[in-house]
Amino acid sequence: MADDVWLVVGLGNPGPSYARTRHNIGHLVADELAARTGAKWKQSKQVKAEVIETRISGLRTVLAKPRAYMNESGGPVSGLLKFFKLDPANLVVVHDELDIDFGVLRCKFGGGDNGHNGLKSVRKSLGTGEYYRVRFGVGRPPGRQAPADFVLNEFSAAERKDLPFAVDRTADAVESLLTDGLESTQGKYNS
């Protein structure tokens, strides 16, 4: 994996009203990775995304945050892969996951969309689901709350206390995935 260029995409919705919602965990992790490199986000002229070309653990990496709504994420992701001439096997998507408890991570390659509109859009645009995913658990909605409403709400007060640690750990998992590979990363971070 060490000679490759990587595209790491944090999924989310654009705009300040969505910034701290569960659905935007991908953006929060991308921001943490960007902060670690000291690089600043720039609006891509080629696709609807903010990007940073940098190095993570010595590896050429493109960090990206699509500036499209979650259910339209596929267009920017596909456009970035084409622009940087990358294969989906060099793509890591960071996203929220309802079926995993808050803060629990699961790293994997390929798989289904599990009802996630961002992943559905990426699959439709790429024609494949064969890329890496770092799935951040946000848990199931309480009571009868609709899943869409739940992910578009901010984290609870208790979750916000743990969120900085969880985002930091997720960024660590992304770095591990790039440098150490999937199996090693799963052993360290899949809880």
Side-chain angles (χ1 to χ4, degrees):
M1 293 180 129
D3 296 332
D4 294 329
V5 177
W6 289 93
L7 172 61
V8 177
V9 177
L11 294 185
N13 284 309
S17 62
Y18 295 104
R20 304 299 293 180
T21 64
R22 291 177 178 92
H23 227 15
N24 273 39
I25 193 65
H27 281 194
L28 295 175
V29 173
D31 285 337
E32 171 60 25
L33 289 164
R36 291 178 181 189
T37 70
K40 301 289 183 217
W41 293 104
K42 294 180 180 150
Q43 181 63 44
S44 169
K45 292 181 172 110
Q46 290 75 28
V47 297
K48 200 171 182 179
E50 289 180 70
V51 296
I52 292 173
E53 292 182 61
T54 189
R55 289 195 172 272
I56 293 180
S57 300
L59 300 173
R60 281 190 56 214
T61 307
V62 178
L63 296 174
K65 296 188 297 185
R67 301 318 292 164
Y69 287 99
M70 182 66 80
N71 61 353
E72 299 168 348
S73 298
V77 172
S78 175
L80 288 164
L81 284 173
K82 286 177 186 155
F83 179 77
F84 289 101
K85 298 178 176 67
L86 299 174
D87 188 87
N90 288 66
L91 170 64
V92 178
V93 174
V94 183
H95 64 90
D96 59 302
E97 182 66 54
L98 282 168
D99 289 332
I100 304 173
D101 290 338
F102 171 79
V104 174
L105 298 180
R106 295 277 193 279
C107 301
K108 69 182 215 172
F109 182 82
D113 307 328
N114 204 23
H116 192 288
N117 289 331
L119 296 180
K120 284 181 188 175
S121 177
V122 171
R123 177 183 295 275
K124 183 177 178 186
S125 292
L126 299 184
T128 184
E130 299 299 301
Y131 54 86
Y132 292 94
R133 297 116 188 264
V134 176
R135 302 157 59 209
F136 181 99
V138 295
R140 298 297 302 174
R144 296 177 186 247
Q145 184 178 17
D149 292 338
F150 180 70
V151 297
L152 293 175
N153 280 325
E154 291 190 8
F155 290 95
S156 71
E159 290 168 339
R160 282 195 299 273
K161 286 181 187 172
D162 293 329
L163 191 60
F165 170 76
V167 167
D168 189 59
R169 185 168 183 270
T170 308
D172 290 346
V174 171
E175 288 187 8
S176 174
L177 184 59
L178 300 183
T179 58
D180 302 330
L182 181 61
E183 191 173 324
S184 175
T185 301
Q186 287 174 323
K188 283 189 258 182
Y189 294 96
N190 283 18
S191 16

